[in-house]
Amino acid sequence: MRLRQTWAVAKKEMRQARRDPLSLALLFALPAFMLILYGYAINFDVRHVRLAVQDRDMSDASRSLVSSFVNSTYFDLVASPEPGSDLESVMQMRVAKVVLVIPEGYAADIGANRGAKVQLLLDGADANTATTVLGYASALVAQTNAELMHGTRAAATAARVAIDYQPRVFYNPDLRSTRFLVPGLIGFILMLTAVLSTALSVVREKERGTMEQLRVTSLRPSELIIGKTLPYLGISLIATVIILVAARVLFDVSVAGSYFDLFVATLIYLVGALGWGLLVSSLSNTQAMAFQVGLVTSLLPTIFFSGFIFPIRSMPVFIQGLSHIFPARYFLVVLRGVVLKGAGLAPYWKDILFLVIYAAIVLGIATARLTRREV
Amino acid sequence: MNQPVIEVRGLVKRFGDFVSVDDVSFDVRPGEVFGLLGSNGAGKTTTIRMLCGLLRPSAGVGHILGIDIAREPERLKRSIGYMTQRFSLYDDLTIGQNLRFFGGVYGLRGAAFDARRSWAIDIAGLRGKEGLMTGSLPGGWKQRLALACALLHEPKVVFLDEPTGGVDPLSRRKFWQLIDSLAASGVALIVTTHYLDEAERCDRIALMHAGRIVAMGSVPELKEVFSGRAMLEVSCPRVLDAQALLERRPGIHEVSAFGTTLHVVVDDADHGRATIASTLAGAGFDPLEIERIVPSLEDVFIHCIEAEDERRDAS
């Protein structure tokens, strides 16, 4: 590889990128826009769940349980169906997502120390929310339970305090989804800019016939490929910085770990993404096709299979297996470690190793495809 | 004369069952303008792409400046210039930036690059316009700039693939002056075209048809296929009916339709004129105009293609 030739290609590519200010602005503005969109508009935190309570006991104890639900701010009491009414229709009609049923004799059972029963009906159509709500409800019942045991037995058996369940969440103490989203967004946006910009820039040359002209010059394939990807690597890194700054300013999410670790992980991920962009360009002959292929093969897997929005563990086993071949999955694990936990790269060596292997394979195939002579 | 710089022997290119280039052989010497003439799909571009190292020949050998085209495509590319059909410049870069890019690709810098850049701007006639966007240039200028970019590294062998497509006649003339001056400086050029007037400007021509070279030589040499015979141009209504009547008449060799006229090859001008007049008059073609003409390259082309098709049908 000769530096002068490589640099000539890179310079040309940057000049062309500058001539297209709209696309360039899009590459820089899109990350911040996506962050605002996802950060403000999409909120995975579950609050103010509509709750219906059928209190058949109507005692102090039952009212205390209901108020513990309402006071938690996770639940809003929206209906109190009469005893004997159709509870399923409450959920069918979407009046409430959760129905708490307190049977007759609740207070009496507690008083007699027999172990009272309550029933929770849950709308499981949205599985993610349902899981979260179930967690809240269990915690509230457990808390009430503890308080009751404390109150009734404290005097007699002071030593036998029931298990005091005090959860403490690390790294994202208030469980804000924005903190969780930022690393995902970095992975997602880098995929978008790297794959699409590379693929489109190569296919544009094919469409215009300049690729044919370049192939007949003494330009070596390595010079062409490195010269073409270098500017987009730079643009993608700048986009990363923009996301980090925006995350800090808008959502107060800062990088807990070292910037160097972040840079190294991002660079490895980007090389793989650029390689994928080149591979896409070798498969497409028009910009429209490159755009479609690039979108479907990189963006969608990054959204769906990386754990960016949907937890991988709640996916079918087959999809879980599939998620292993997409680099974003590994990058996100590393990124969450570095950005949220302040961890170094050492605990993530397996994920990094995968990213390196992915980059090597993809770049290898792309180079072979782009440089092979027509036969 | 000097040694050939391009030597091609039995070049074949197959795409699956389709034979795109079939047993093509020729030589080109320094300072020669060699034309590859043929209709679309005749195999001209495929031939050129093999000679430029872009396609691997299925069979046959080719040497350019002593470099084997199949074995050393990378070395070959450093020694030749190639202008594609579409004047492949970057429309979204300025003229100066295009030159700088291609200069960089060929590894030119410093005084050497400045000299070549200046030369390129002069031959393209773009002095003072280096800051203009390439996409805003009219076709003729773009074409000369594309040629200049392909020649920055001073190749001794240059390939021009349909260089004048979509360019106005004045620009075409200027472009051919450029080609002639390059040839005068000792550069060997291969030009593909389907314009017959352009082919007439070549020193030698190879007529290609269905992948084969069906005739090769200078224009006067090619026209010798009609030597000892005469060509008559017949103007009449219903040319196709007339053509059917005249074919297979004694003393008439070939009848081809050219728009509203027929070109008829005969053994003897006067005798042929009489045969044509009597045959057509008998079938009610009237009035007739029969004139003796000098065969054009197009006549040669049609003659060679028909001869080749007959040869193929026979075998």
Side-chain angles (χ1 to χ4, degrees):
Chain A
M1 193 186 84
R2 298 158 301 176
L3 282 180
R4 200 178 313 152
Q5 276 78 354
T6 312
W7 182 237
V9 176
K11 221 158 62 180
K12 182 221 75 166
E13 208 63 39
M14 284 188 277
R15 287 209 175 97
Q16 286 186 306
R18 268 216 310 263
R19 292 266 183 251
D20 192 2
L22 198 68
S23 304
L24 205 59
L26 201 66
L27 286 181
F28 289 132
L30 196 68
F33 173 73
M34 299 281 284
L35 190 67
I36 293 168
L37 190 74
Y38 280 88
Y40 284 124
I42 300 182
N43 194 339
F44 298 116
D45 299 343
V46 180
R47 299 244 160 183
H48 303 290
V49 178
R50 289 192 306 278
L51 169 76
V53 175
Q54 189 179 54
D55 187 352
R56 298 189 197 155
D57 197 46
M58 298 296 250
S59 60
D60 279 351
S62 69
R63 273 190 290 275
S64 139
L65 181 65
V66 172
S67 61
S68 78
F69 267 71
V70 175
N71 290 342
S72 71
T73 73
Y74 294 128
F75 298 97
D76 289 345
L77 185 62
V78 292
S80 306
E82 290 298 308
S85 62
D86 182 6
L87 291 177
E88 206 184 328
S89 75
V90 173
M91 271 189 285
Q92 282 271 334
M93 303 303 288
R94 306 189 63 201
V95 175
K97 274 199 176 291
V98 186
V99 183
L100 177 68
V101 181
I102 304 173
E104 297 100 341
Y106 172 76
D109 283 346
I110 290 176
N113 210 356
R114 277 197 295 265
K117 287 192 172 69
V118 293
Q119 187 184 27
L120 194 75
L121 305 176
L122 200 56
D123 177 357
D126 176 354
N128 281 340
T129 308
T131 313
T132 314
V133 169
L134 191 60
Y136 290 155
S138 310
L140 285 167
V141 172
Q143 197 186 335
T144 310
N145 215 1
E147 278 164 11
L148 283 171
M149 292 176 79
H150 209 69
T152 53
R153 291 192 185 170
T157 52
R160 289 187 58 217
V161 175
I163 295 161
D164 190 7
Y165 173 61
Q166 285 193 330
R168 193 176 148 210
V169 178
F170 274 66
Y171 312 125
N172 185 4
D174 33 4
L175 286 171
R176 275 188 304 144
S177 48
T178 332
R179 283 186 77 84
F180 184 70
L181 274 180
V182 168
L185 271 176
I186 295 176
F188 162 69
I189 291 163
L190 289 186
M191 228 353 158
L192 175 92
T193 50
V195 171
L196 288 186
S197 55
T198 328
L200 290 179
S201 94
V202 174
V203 175
R204 193 161 48 227
E205 300 233 12
K206 276 203 215 172
E207 268 187 351
R208 291 185 187 166
T210 44
M211 192 53 98
E212 173 98 343
Q213 189 72 57
L214 292 183
R215 282 163 56 98
V216 86
T217 63
S218 51
L219 203 61
R220 290 184 195 139
S222 58
E223 294 157 2
L224 179 65
I225 288 171
I226 293 172
K228 271 192 104 60
T229 46
L230 222 48
Y232 295 106
L233 191 67
I235 290 174
S236 305
L237 286 173
I238 294 171
T240 314
V241 172
I242 291 176
I243 301 171
L244 288 175
V245 170
R248 175 112 199 213
V249 172
L250 299 174
F251 302 109
D252 196 30
V253 176
S254 52
V255 180
S258 102
Y259 282 94
F260 180 75
D261 290 345
L262 183 65
F263 174 75
V264 170
T266 308
L267 197 65
I268 298 170
Y269 176 65
L270 272 178
V271 170
L274 293 168
W276 187 257
L278 287 172
L279 192 56
V280 168
S281 75
S282 77
L283 296 166
S284 342
N285 287 318
T286 63
Q287 291 191 64
M289 187 182 167
F291 189 79
Q292 295 282 340
V293 175
L295 212 63
V296 170
T297 58
S298 67
L299 221 62
L300 300 185
T302 305
I303 294 178
F304 294 117
F305 300 147
S306 67
F308 166 33
I309 296 177
F310 310 106
I312 294 173
R313 250 172 308 162
S314 61
M315 293 175 184
V317 178
F318 170 70
I319 302 287
Q320 284 195 34
L322 198 63
S323 78
H324 282 283
I325 62 168
F326 296 105
R329 178 195 168 126
Y330 302 88
F331 181 56
L332 253 59
V333 170
V334 179
L335 216 51
R336 281 176 180 149
V338 173
V339 173
L340 299 184
K341 296 191 199 171
L345 295 180
Y348 302 105
W349 68 271
K350 275 185 191 160
D351 302 278
I352 304 255
L353 182 67
F354 174 84
L355 289 175
V356 171
I357 293 171
Y358 175 84
I361 292 176
V362 168
L363 263 183
I365 299 174
T367 310
R369 283 192 56 91
L370 285 173
T371 59
R372 96 197 139 146
R373 246 165 121 205
E374 290 172 51
V375 284
Chain B
M1 222 178 147
N2 7 10
Q3 287 298 304
V5 283
I6 304 176
E7 290 174 289
V8 179
R9 294 290 174 273
L11 213 55
V12 176
K13 183 66 202 177
R14 278 184 289 266
F15 297 102
D17 286 340
F18 175 68
V19 182
S20 175
V21 173
D22 188 3
D23 194 19
V24 162
S25 304
F26 58 83
D27 288 341
V28 184
R29 289 165 200 285
E32 200 174 15
V33 181
F34 186 78
L36 279 178
L37 180 65
S39 50
N40 289 329
K44 309 185 300 278
T45 299
T46 309
T47 304
I48 283 211
R49 293 184 50 138
M50 280 191 281
L51 296 181
C52 291
L54 290 176
L55 278 176
R56 191 189 297 275
S58 308
V61 288
H63 285 91
I64 292 176
L65 299 161
I67 304 168
D68 187 320
I69 59 165
R71 295 223 178 91
E72 292 184 276
E74 296 310 317
R75 211 181 124 211
L76 174 69
K77 287 175 188 176
R78 285 198 289 279
S79 321
I80 57 163
Y82 171 49
M83 191 176 114
T84 60
Q85 286 176 10
R86 297 198 282 169
F87 330 142
S88 307
L89 297 164
Y90 294 96
D91 282 349
D92 50 355
L93 294 181
T94 65
I95 293 159
Q97 287 168 346
N98 261 302
L99 284 167
R100 218 170 306 156
F101 171 64
F102 283 104
V105 163
Y106 286 116
L108 296 170
R109 63 169 169 180
F113 172 66
D114 291 341
R116 288 309 286 169
R117 193 176 111 97
S118 184
W119 168 86
I121 287 169
D122 281 339
I123 69 156
L126 290 168
R127 186 148 301 281
K129 301 197 173 82
E130 294 91 332
L132 281 182
M133 289 303 275
T134 307
S136 68
L137 289 176
W141 268 272
K142 226 192 228 176
Q143 168 207 45
R144 287 197 294 275
L145 180 63
L147 180 64
C149 284
L151 297 176
L152 278 176
H153 56 310
E154 299 182 76
K156 288 284 158 216
V157 172
V158 174
F159 296 92
L160 306 173
D161 194 5
E162 309 220 342
T164 56
V167 166
D168 63 274
L170 188 69
S171 297
R172 270 171 71 183
R173 265 179 62 126
K174 278 195 190 165
F175 191 76
W176 273 93
Q177 284 164 2
L178 208 57
I179 290 177
D180 291 340
S181 72
L182 280 171
S185 71
V187 172
L189 294 111
I190 292 192
V191 183
T192 73
T193 183
H194 47 239
Y195 292 116
L196 291 145
D197 60 325
E198 281 189 359
E200 303 231 13
R201 300 194 62 149
C202 298
D203 296 316
R204 279 192 310 133
I205 307 166
L207 288 179
M208 286 193 77
H209 175 60
R212 297 183 73 91
I213 292 183
V214 294
M216 183 159 59
S218 66
V219 174
E221 280 167 9
L222 286 173
K223 287 183 179 170
E224 273 176 23
V225 295
F226 297 117
S227 66
R229 290 173 179 175
M231 177 163 282
L232 301 174
E233 186 178 61
V234 181
S235 307
C236 65
R238 295 187 283 135
V239 280
L240 294 178
D241 294 340
Q243 183 181 15
L245 280 171
L246 291 176
E247 270 168 357
R248 286 188 291 276
R249 293 289 296 170
I252 292 180
H253 291 282
E254 278 172 41
V255 187
S256 338
F258 278 74
T260 57
T261 63
L262 291 174
H263 287 191
V264 185
V265 181
V266 294
D267 280 328
D268 174 79
D270 294 332
H271 192 252
R273 199 189 298 268
T275 315
I276 293 167
S278 65
T279 309
L280 293 184
F285 285 84
D286 202 60
L288 290 171
E289 215 175 282
I290 303 172
E291 220 178 315
R292 179 162 188 182
I293 55 165
V294 177
S296 69
L297 200 54
E298 193 169 5
D299 293 307
V300 175
F301 198 13
I302 288 169
H303 166 85
C304 293
I305 287 171
E306 283 176 354
E308 168 75 11
D309 285 343
E310 268 168 39
R311 193 191 61 78
R312 257 185 208 204
D313 290 344
S315 66

